[in-house]
Amino acid sequence: MPYIPHTPNEVEEMLRVIGAESIDDLFDEIPQELRIDLEKSTGLNAIPLGKSEMAVQRQLSEKAMLDGTPLCFAGGGAYEHHIPAALWEVATRGEFYSAYTPYQAEASQGTLQVIYEFQSMIANLTAMDVSNASLYDGASGLAEAVLMAVRANRKAKSKRILMPESVSPVYRQVVETIVKNQGITLELIAIDQTTGTINQEHAQQQLHNDETFAALVIPQPNYFGSLEEVHQLTDWAHKQGGLVIAQVNPTALALLEAPGNWGENGADIAVGEAQPLGIPLSSGGPYIGFIACKQKLVRQLPGRIVGRTVDLDDKPGFTLTLQAREQHIRRSKATSNICTNQGLMATAVTLYLSFLGTDGLQKVAASCVANTQKLITLLEKSPEIKFPFGKTVFHEFVVQLDVSVDSVLERLAEEDIVGGINLSAQQVAGQSVDANKNQLLICVTETKTEEELRFFSETLIAICSEISSLSNSEGELS
Amino acid sequence: MSKRIIEQNAETLIFELSDQNRRSSSLAPDIDVNDACNNLPEHLQRKKKLQLPQVGELQVVRHYTRLSQKNFSIDTHFYPLGSCTMKYNPRVCNTLAQLPGFTARHPMAHSSMSQGVMSCLFDLQTLLMEATGMKQVSLTPMAGAQGEFAGIAMIRAYHDHNKELQPDKEPERSEIIVPDAAHGTNPATAVMCGYKVKEIPTNDQGDIDIDALEKIIGPQTAGIMLTNPSTLGVFERKIKLIADMIHKAGGLLYYDGANLNAILGKVKPGDMGFDVIHMNLHKTFSTPHGGGGPGSGPIGVSERLQPFVPVPIVGHNEQGYYWITEKELPLSIGRLSAWMGNVGILLRAYIYALLLGRNGMVRVADFATLNANYLLKRLMAANFEMAFPERRASHEFILTLRKEAKEYGTTAMDFAKRLLDYGYHAPTTYFPLLVPECFLIEPTETESRDDLDAFVETLIKIRDEAEQSPNLLKDAPFELPVRRLDDVKAARELDLNFYYSKC
Ligand SMILES: Cc1ncc(COP(=O)(O)O)c(C=O)c1O
């Protein structure tokens, strides 16, 4: 029997010890009328019979082959980077892979030390004082940051959050879903249509009657790849009595100013998606949210936190700490309901940052910037391709096409290319502008060679003119 | 590895192996960083250099391999952590989920390049619907607690919607009922959804106190959250009655699926009368717990909650598989993750489900229950006290060490720490809180009888030690990389970041 080691003899002896006739007797406290009748159609018929490992392997290999390994130029919160071969070899060692949350500290020093190192690295990347052990992903992490800011900013006594349009639309949706039942409102701040960045004047106007707000969210780089004026914005928000939530890409932090050093006093909370640090794209998960903050806010952090302490012999060791914030102690008064987080992913991130080091991460980031500029230069050759938000970007940029982005992406898919993200398909509730027509968000990382960049730009330009001449001739016919 | 060597390396942090002048990596592209930075505005660039460790590849591999060896895990130790279902995580699930076609797929890839993974997710939805008797499954919640959130948010959306339709008839529903033995995520979730929590007691048989429930139910009741079998390790026999009582008051029932392993293929939560459930795939469907996640907490709903499920879910028509979004489900509570939750974990659960099949699923509950009841009877025969000796164990049961605490001054925690010395991960301790000095023990179906027997012998031995030399327990563990840790110091003198105060 798969994964069950019992012999028939053992089962018999065990039943004798229990004093039961059959295994079925062990379920005699379940009311008979509730029991599944396997003979009936209401049984489990929709579930096939078990298969051998070999059969399942064949089935899954076929499915995986269907999706292939296309050339990918999509980002939008999920980024393709090179992953060191040793990383997942080490991370999936059974001792990491098949351990539970480190409740028994003495038997979990491996996991606990890894998380302490993870927290240290995230704090260093963001220039914050403390980090937690991880959250589910970047989007739900931003929701936790919003809840945290509302709790922490007691002075403001406000449940308003200023949420710029330059934050990923899916992130905004997720935040809305998670915080709306607590009376928190997200107020959309429009972007400047020439830069794709937060329009500070519009933010100012939102403050009619000098109302306060709990926090301003500042994405860096933002959803469109553009760079926000983080220093100015941070100082402005602080002057108005709001906290600043920095939503950042960790790869970019190798080169871009860290949230802790934004403006005069730095952002208060830094949050983001750490998937770029060693985690494959894998359809969007499992990824890993990170959250870090100033020391004075540490008791408002959600989720697990690992601390270094000593044992009975005064030897250093690690343990879960500040648990009085958490659901298993505080129950209905906990800072969050989170329990299981993304431990294995935190292990992967820690390994990634250790393998690459400062030098390696800077080079990855620099290569992203350089490759992105190369593709921009190649695409500039086509008069049909415009850059509505400019070219000062990290590793993503928006292009405006003359033709339907959907058709372009479909054609690119035929060439085995994931061409980017259609911004017009991402209209979500609350979007204030409708200017995203025919806009495509393109991402380039260090993984792309010169040939691939040339191939992509030529294919994209060719497909655009193909579609445009096609629709022109269709227009003439009708 | 010998204990001595592990000890030698106890304090070494990766940062202490670092030298900022070391350049050994073939892992990063060869590029002039300053050149590339010319494309970024000067004032937005990082001023203070990062301090990530600069360590050779072998030294990194060795450091983390050694750290891994300081962990207990399913692959290395019996891990009877109650309510956590620490069973074997078949390796093949990991191998196949890491096929390049799965790992390389961008979440926004065109659906024509996604039919493989989408078909797996669609099939998984179907399998889980059948196993639980629910009308629709949404796979997006990323852990049990997020599944709970989704569930209670749906209950709220349902009541709000009804109130909108019938503002005069529908009362203001503000309360979620939660048993005192419930997991901490239950009350925390209810509050995140804007509800007040009403606790109800459990009777001395481990069932819900029906009289107390009767008194607490009213027009203000939005719903109840139950785990069945409960966190006390017994099946709630009056579940149909409870469902009727709640439904009559207009409330809905939430099923916390943490203990689904006990009833897989035996009873369906849908048939018990639940309106919404979550499943912990990292428990029942054996996906890895990774030292604290990733989990995966899909939800299933009855017909009345179908319009409110979180998106996206996978649909199927003549053209193939497609995403069902808020366009088709305008009343959806929305999105909980940027894309589709923990897809890589969902794949592992799917692979596990295919390997088991319906015949294998029934066996999961059979043998999980057999192992638990066997262990319970053997421990009872050895004169350990059970919290509910009259009851059948589900897949887990509660042992109380209050007698030992009183007679020998050794607590459940002392027993737990001494178990570690003998190479056993401790059961869940001090949960649920209502049973004093308790162990919640869950052996799971994948453990052999020999291992269960050895565990019994070890507990007996430790009790002998408690009687003769209690300090062997109170000062335990002795054999692990560290001895008991100072939790008070950890919380008072916070040290959460190696660099803090160093830069
Ligand atoms: C009874 C019960 N409910 C809910 C949860 C929460 O699940 P998760 O840790 O996946 O968020 C757990 C797991 O710890 C549990 O045991």
Side-chain angles (χ1 to χ4, degrees), chain A residues 159-196:
Chain A
K159 288 193 164 187
R160 299 169 70 208
I161 297 288
L162 304 188
M163 182 66 90
E165 221 170 358
S166 55
V167 169
S168 155
V170 270
Y171 275 42
R172 283 186 269 130
Q173 259 180 310
V174 170
V175 174
E176 172 82 16
T177 306
I178 295 177
V179 309
K180 68 176 171 213
N181 288 329
Q182 298 187 49
I184 294 167
T185 56
L186 308 177
E187 293 185 17
L188 204 62
I189 307 291
I191 50 168
D192 181 316
Q193 290 299 329
T194 58
T195 60

Side-chain angles (χ1 to χ4, degrees), chain B residues 125-146:
Chain B
Q125 287 172 186
T126 311
L127 287 167
L128 296 177
M129 273 147 60
E130 181 79 341
T132 58
M134 307 308 283
K135 280 282 173 315
Q136 180 62 56
V137 160
S138 166
L139 301 170
T140 87
M142 292 175 283
Q146 213 191 24

Side-chain angles (χ1 to χ4, degrees), chain A residues 1-3 6 13-14 23 25 27-29 34-36 42-48 50-51 63-64 67-68 70 74-75 78 92-101 104-111 113 116-117 119-120 123-125 129 136-137 173-174 177 180-182 229 231 253 255-257 281-283 285-286 306-313 315-316 318-319 321 327 331-332 337 340-344 350-351 354 357-359 363 366-367 426, chain B residues 7 11-14 23 29 31 36 43-47 50-54 63-65 67-68 71-75 79 84 86 91 94 101-103 105-106 108 113-117 119 127 130 142 145 182 184-185 188-189 191-193 237 265-268 271 288-294 326 333 335 337-338 342-344 348 354-359 363 365-366 369 371 391-392 417 446-447 449 480-481 483-487 491 495-498 500:
Chain A
M1 289 181 282
Y3 319 123
H6 304 59
E13 284 166 27
M14 290 170 83
I23 290 182
D25 279 0
F27 296 91
D28 55 8
E29 288 193 3
L34 292 179
R35 292 283 303 273
I36 296 175
T42 50
L44 297 172
N45 283 343
I47 304 173
K51 295 190 178 80
K63 303 253 186 191
D67 296 351
T92 54
R93 283 180 61 89
E95 298 92 329
F96 285 136
Y97 188 76
S98 72
Y100 205 78
T101 302
Q104 291 292 336
E106 300 84 352
S108 316
Q109 285 297 297
T111 290
Q113 182 170 333
Y116 177 85
E117 293 180 0
Q119 290 173 181
S120 301
N124 192 249
L125 264 176
D129 300 330
Y136 303 132
D137 73 350
Q173 259 180 310
V174 170
T177 306
K180 68 176 171 213
N181 288 329
Q182 298 187 49
E229 289 299 333
H231 300 296
L253 290 182
L255 303 180
L256 294 179
E257 190 54 284
L281 290 170
S282 47
S283 292
V306 171
R308 183 156 60 158
T309 180
V310 295
D311 72 0
L312 278 177
D313 297 335
K315 197 165 94 181
F318 303 87
T319 185
T321 193
Q327 44 76 30
R331 296 178 77 84
S332 63
N337 72 341
T340 293
N341 49 51
Q342 304 284 114
L344 195 65
T350 310
L351 277 155
S354 301
T358 301
D359 185 55
K363 284 179 172 161
S367 177
Q426 291 218 309
Chain B
E7 261 176 18
E11 319 75 35
T12 313
L13 291 160
I14 190 79
R23 296 279 180 280
I31 188 170
H43 71 288
L44 297 178
Q45 289 184 33
R46 188 165 186 127
K47 301 288 168 324
L50 274 172
Q51 288 177 299
L52 295 173
Q54 299 276 142
H63 176 73
Y64 289 105
T65 301
L67 283 186
S68 77
N71 272 359
F72 279 28
S73 66
I74 304 174
D75 282 4
Y79 213 121
C84 300
M86 295 296 276
R91 276 282 148 177
N94 184 51
F102 293 135
T103 53
R105 184 185 167 270
H106 190 280
M108 297 294 280
M113 313 163 102
S114 313
Q115 292 295 299
V117 73
S119 74
L127 287 167
E130 181 79 341
M142 292 175 283
T185 48
T189 298
V191 168
M192 274 182 94
C193 293
R237 293 167 287 196
K266 297 289 171 190
V267 211
K268 301 183 184 186
D271 294 341
H289 209 282
E326 41 284 277
I333 57 162
R335 288 174 189 257
S337 72
N342 287 336
V343 177
R348 284 168 175 80
L354 289 181
L355 287 159
L356 288 187
R358 60 171 180 270
N359 41 337
R363 275 199 304 263
D366 277 343
T369 306
N371 274 359
R391 301 288 307 266
R392 285 271 188 229
K417 298 299 181 195
T446 58
E447 295 298 329
R449 189 194 60 175
L480 274 82
R483 300 199 44 214
R484 234 179 266 200
L485 292 155
D486 188 342
D487 287 329
D495 176 358
L496 313 176
N497 166 11
F498 173 76
Y500 190 66

